[in-house]
Each structure stands twice: as C-alpha cells, then as structure tokens.
Amino acid sequence: KAGVTQTPRYLIKTRGQQVTLSCSPISGHRSVSWYQQTPGQGLQFLFEYFSETQRNKGNFPGRFSGRQFSNSRSEMNVSTLELGDSALYLCASSQEPTEAFFGQGTRLTVV
Amino acid sequence: ILNVEQSPQSLHVQEGDSTNFTCSFPSSNFYALHWYRWETAKSPEALFVMTLNGDEKKKGRISATLNTKEGYSYLYIKGSQPEDSATYLCAFQGVDNFNKFYFGSGTKLNVKP
C-alpha cells in the first residue's frame, strides 16, 4: 500500500507569489490534515478535510487555504507569500480518528 | 491555547544507555496521546497511540506510559542504539476537537556509537 505522497518535495518562491502544495493520501483514507513546522516550533495544525469538506481550521491567516477533491487528494494554497511562510509543510491522512500517517513534507523557502 | 510540552529538548547518550523523555499535556478533555519517531528527511512514524489512563505500550526496546489524570506520558528507550537517533514527538488529541493533533516541539535524541 503506497504511503502519503506530497509534491513537490522542495520549492523556492519569491515574496508576494503564491504557491500550491499537493498531498495524495493513502488509498481509502478520506481525512487529510495539513501541518506547518517552522524552525524551533512544533507542528502547527493548519486545517483538516474530510470528504471534500473542511472540518477544522487552525489559527492561520486567510492567505492559507486548502481544498480536497473527490478522490481525497488535497491541495493547500498560500497566497502573497511572506518570508515567515518558509517552513516544512506536512500532510497526514487517516481512516480512523486515532491515527495519522504523514508524508515526507514539502520544504518551502520564500526569498 | 492548548500547550503540549516535551522535555528535554535534546539528549545525547552513548550506545547502550537507557533514556526517557516526558510529554506534558492538559489533563482535561483527553481523547488520545500519540508518540511519533521522526528521522531527518523522512516521514514521522507512529510509535504508539494511547487512550486509557495507565496504558503501557511496548514495541521492542521502546515503551511508553500514560497518566491522563496528571497529564503526562513517558517514552522509554532501553539500550539505545545509533539507529534510535531521531526526534521523538508527542501529540495530544482532545475530545472536543479530535480531528486536530496538538504537537510538542519534540525531543531530539542523538546516540553515539
């Protein structure tokens, strides 16, 4: 069974640009969550999608958005990038409430 | 704001040493506590999910205990090996919002041969 796949693995963007990250969950998993890790910080929850609906959202500005498609693949978008958005973005998929299987992450650098 | 704290922040031990880390979390609203092992450039790997007060879980040389009444969990590694070098994360799930994990900052373990 394939794991959680995130693309791209690395990305460099300029301030003011926007970026889209993709996450393909484990087959059969309908829940996808997104987390951000910045240097010195733990993983911070961004949002969670289930069956194309956002069920939960963390404390991030509106520049951070996401969506989920009918095949459970999810994308997150960050508009008007700031230097502070440089981070590792992880997604996790699950089938049951007490589980979360993570991808390897996308390392975003904003210059 | 819900706080999950891990200590120590980092740990350097010799091969063969036993070690333990602490995760502190709110004692109310508890649903589950997770431990993950995260090696550089890899995905975080789930070690344990603990749901009941007094739970003890074991996987090889790694074990964990849970005290939900006082809000802490311990992770133990017996006879550390260099391949145990990684960051160990704990994550709290609350009853009122169980789709959201609250992570600690992790304990970075370095095991020297």
Side-chain angles (χ1 to χ4, degrees):
Chain A
K1 207 174 189 181
V4 178
T5 305
Q6 291 189 246
T7 56
R9 292 289 312 280
Y10 301 93
L11 207 46
I12 300 176
K13 289 286 187 178
T14 305
R15 264 184 306 177
Q17 286 187 314
Q18 74 162 14
V19 67
T20 300
L21 312 181
S22 179
C23 174
S24 293
I26 292 171
S27 177
H29 287 193
R30 293 162 66 189
S31 170
V32 174
S33 301
W34 289 89
Y35 291 84
Q36 180 200 62
Q37 188 190 43
T38 49
Q41 295 286 320
L43 292 168
Q44 302 290 317
F45 175 81
L46 280 155
F47 25 65
E48 187 251 352
Y49 287 87
F50 181 86
S51 293
E52 302 179 67
T53 300
Q54 187 183 87
R55 287 199 298 194
N56 218 330
K57 191 176 189 309
N59 294 325
F60 280 82
R63 298 184 298 107
F64 291 81
S65 62
R67 59 178 175 168
Q68 188 179 34
F69 302 95
S70 57
N71 62 357
S72 293
R73 189 177 71 85
S74 177
E75 289 181 346
M76 68 163 278
N77 184 275
V78 188
S79 62
T80 320
L81 283 165
E82 300 177 359
L83 294 179
D85 297 332
S86 294
L88 179 69
Y89 292 88
L90 285 172
C91 83
S93 77
S94 67
Q95 200 169 30
E96 302 291 335
T98 53
E99 66 180 17
F101 296 91
F102 284 88
Q104 287 183 277
T106 294
R107 171 82 56 193
L108 171 66
T109 302
V110 182
V111 297
Chain B
I1 293 179
L2 193 150
N3 260 347
V4 177
E5 296 187 357
Q6 291 188 248
S7 62
Q9 201 168 19
S10 65
L11 204 49
H12 297 262
V13 301
Q14 290 293 136
E15 183 175 353
D17 287 351
S18 292
T19 186
N20 65 84
F21 325 132
T22 304
C23 174
S24 300
F25 53 85
S27 55
S28 61
N29 192 36
F30 179 86
Y31 186 76
L33 192 281
H34 302 254
W35 282 101
Y36 283 87
R37 180 174 179 276
W38 194 6
E39 288 182 75
T40 305
K42 294 189 178 179
S43 313
E45 172 199 353
L47 289 173
F48 304 113
V49 179
M50 309 179 80
T51 56
L52 296 174
N53 184 43
D55 249 358
E56 291 188 23
K57 300 250 175 150
K58 189 174 180 186
K59 186 186 284 190
R61 294 178 292 99
I62 305 177
S63 60
T65 61
L66 178 69
N67 184 324
T68 60
K69 293 185 178 178
E70 294 181 45
Y72 65 84
S73 176
Y74 295 138
L75 187 78
Y76 301 92
I77 302 179
K78 187 177 177 183
S80 302
Q81 299 296 307
E83 57 266 30
D84 294 329
S85 297
T87 295
Y88 291 82
L89 298 173
C90 69
F92 170 87
Q93 256 184 305
V95 171
D96 62 349
N97 209 349
F98 62 80
N99 299 313
K100 180 176 179 178
F101 285 23
Y102 294 86
F103 281 87
S105 298
T107 293
K108 188 168 185 179
L109 175 66
N110 182 34
V111 183
K112 297 178 188 174

